[in-house]
Amino acid sequence: MARSKKNTTRSKGNKKVRNLIFAVILLLISAAISYVYFTTQKFDNVMLPGVSVEDVDLSGKSKEEAIQILREKYSNPILSKKINIKTPKRTYTINYSELNPQYNIIETVDGALAYGKDLNIISRYKLIKKPEIKKYKLKFSYNHKPVDDMISTISKEINSKPVEATISLVNGSFQVTEDKKGFELESKKLSEDIASKASGKSREDINIDAPIKSLGANVTAEALKTVNSKIGSFSTSFTSSSEARSTNISLATQSINGKILMPGDTFSFNEVVGERTKERGYKEAGVIVNQQLDSGVGGGICQVSSTLYNALLKGNIKTTERVHHTFPSTYVEKGLDATVDWGNIDLKFKNTFDYPIYIEGFTSNKNIYFNIYSNSSLAKRSYAITTEVYSTIEPTTKYIDDPTLPLGQTEVVKQPRSGYRVRAYKNIYENGKLIGREQISNDYYIPINGVIKRGTKK
């Protein structure tokens, strides 16, 4: 009986101990939870430890404090900065204050302040006790228009086209003027250089050397001074031409005179001479239309193109486009004519030499003269042009009785003309010796069948 009371007493004592231990544990847990809660609560409205923007540690800073710190470090100082663009003649300056420069400070601070706030209380507590470095970057923006306007101003003062050298033939001697370099501001590159440096966090002014490209002339004095010898020439007569035809010939020849072709350049007769219009002084004269002679503005021009073509052949210059007439011309041999028609048929040739080509063209005493000049090394060879008519095709003539014409009277509606097949050759001579022969062309002039009316009226 006594033992039972003793056990009961001991049981009650153990229970008290357990209750006490449990109460202590609850107290400790409550204290720990309170500690965690109050510790994390301190950072509800401030940055967590380890948070920085750029190189500024904002741990424990409120939004307002962070904004103020960043503005003082970045926004305010940048207003006193300048962008200096140096050119060979002067330095152009633009103040940052004109650019309305801005850092996205508020947006960045909002992001930094929100860091870790979406985590549960335990995870936030861990970030506070064992901070993880979290860095945010500011974005910089500004109004580009003042910069673009400044670049445009610099371009206008810097940009200049190169001046090409010129060559002229005076009293049998060549006179060459010097070429001049041009300059061009590399606007895009300058804009990119400014953009890459304008967002920097340095308080120092930005100094940039304007990127300027040197532009060389296509026609240089050095190249033109290699022109020193005649390599080909040809002339034709227009003695029987009317005043209108003679005028057209003179105008076209003047357009070609003094033309320079640098190595690789292509010459287009139509581009150089231009459109033959009355406004440009051209007159109506005989032209070939629909297989017969007619009248048209610019008549006679084909004699100019044919004369030039023969001078080119004598100078061994490569013709890239050439068309012969419907029927042979009277001013050059068969197979050696070259017709042109604005917007339709052209005479073109290319300078395949290593030296420039200079073309002299003039008229005198109703003769057209074309002289081709280049380097004396090309004059070591000479070229003779020959032709061979290897086939003649006779035309037919159709007679039409016409009761409105008196008996025995005739009227030519279409003049019959023979057709020809003609080969042209270039004989190549060196030191007076024939060293080669090349076929230039193989032309076919179609026969033109005649049409004649004969009167039957009595």
Side-chain angles (χ1 to χ4, degrees), residues 214-455:
S214 177
L215 306 175
N218 179 51
V219 181
T220 65
E222 181 182 6
L224 292 185
K225 287 176 182 177
T226 65
V227 177
N228 54 22
S229 182
K230 185 189 297 184
I231 63 171
S233 64
F234 198 78
S235 66
T236 59
S237 172
F238 57 98
T239 304
S240 60
S241 295
S242 65
E243 181 182 350
R245 189 175 188 276
S246 299
T247 297
N248 296 338
I249 288 174
S250 296
L251 285 174
T253 304
Q254 289 169 14
S255 299
I256 300 170
N257 181 47
K259 181 65 180 176
I260 301 168
L261 269 76
M262 299 301 289
D265 284 354
T266 295
F267 176 102
S268 163
F269 186 94
N270 283 334
E271 286 181 6
V272 173
V273 174
E275 188 173 3
R276 281 68 84 179
T277 63
K278 290 183 178 180
E279 290 74 18
R280 299 185 65 232
Y282 286 93
K283 302 181 181 299
E284 288 200 11
V287 294
I288 298 175
V289 180
N290 295 327
Q291 300 183 353
Q292 58 186 341
L293 285 172
D294 203 339
S295 181
V297 176
I301 296 298
C302 291
Q303 183 167 350
V304 179
S305 57
S306 295
T307 307
L308 176 61
Y309 173 60
N310 280 265
L312 300 173
L313 294 179
K314 297 290 287 291
N316 194 36
I317 295 171
K318 183 180 180 181
T319 303
T320 57
E321 186 175 327
R322 170 256 173 183
V323 178
H324 62 80
H325 287 84
T326 305
F327 50 83
S329 305
T330 58
Y331 40 79
V332 292
E333 293 184 34
K334 298 177 184 67
L336 296 180
D337 58 317
T339 184
V340 289
D341 181 29
W342 175 259
N344 185 27
I345 302 173
D346 205 354
L347 170 66
K348 293 182 180 180
F349 55 91
K350 184 176 183 178
N351 181 3
T352 57
F353 302 143
D354 294 329
Y355 308 97
I357 291 173
Y358 175 84
I359 303 174
E360 179 189 31
F362 62 94
T363 58
S364 178
N365 298 321
K366 286 210 165 185
N367 287 285
I368 308 170
Y369 297 90
F370 277 111
N371 296 315
I372 312 296
Y373 295 88
S374 192
N375 187 258
S376 57
S377 63
L378 302 175
K380 294 178 180 179
R381 290 184 175 183
S382 60
Y383 305 88
I385 311 303
T386 61
T387 61
E388 173 194 6
V389 178
Y390 65 92
S391 178
T392 301
I393 305 96
E394 296 299 334
T396 61
T397 301
K398 180 180 180 180
Y399 290 91
I400 301 174
D401 291 337
D402 189 340
T404 64
L405 290 177
L407 184 65
Q409 184 174 332
T410 60
E411 180 182 314
V412 178
V413 177
K414 182 181 287 187
Q415 182 70 41
R417 296 180 184 275
S418 298
Y420 302 95
R421 294 188 185 274
V422 186
R423 295 190 187 96
Y425 296 94
K426 175 170 59 180
N427 295 324
I428 306 169
Y429 294 88
E430 189 170 304
N431 298 322
K433 182 180 179 181
L434 179 65
I435 62 170
R437 189 174 193 239
E438 297 177 2
Q439 181 175 307
I440 300 169
S441 59
N442 188 356
D443 295 340
Y444 173 50
Y445 299 92
I446 63 173
I448 299 175
N449 296 322
V451 178
I452 299 176
K453 290 182 181 180
R454 55 190 177 189

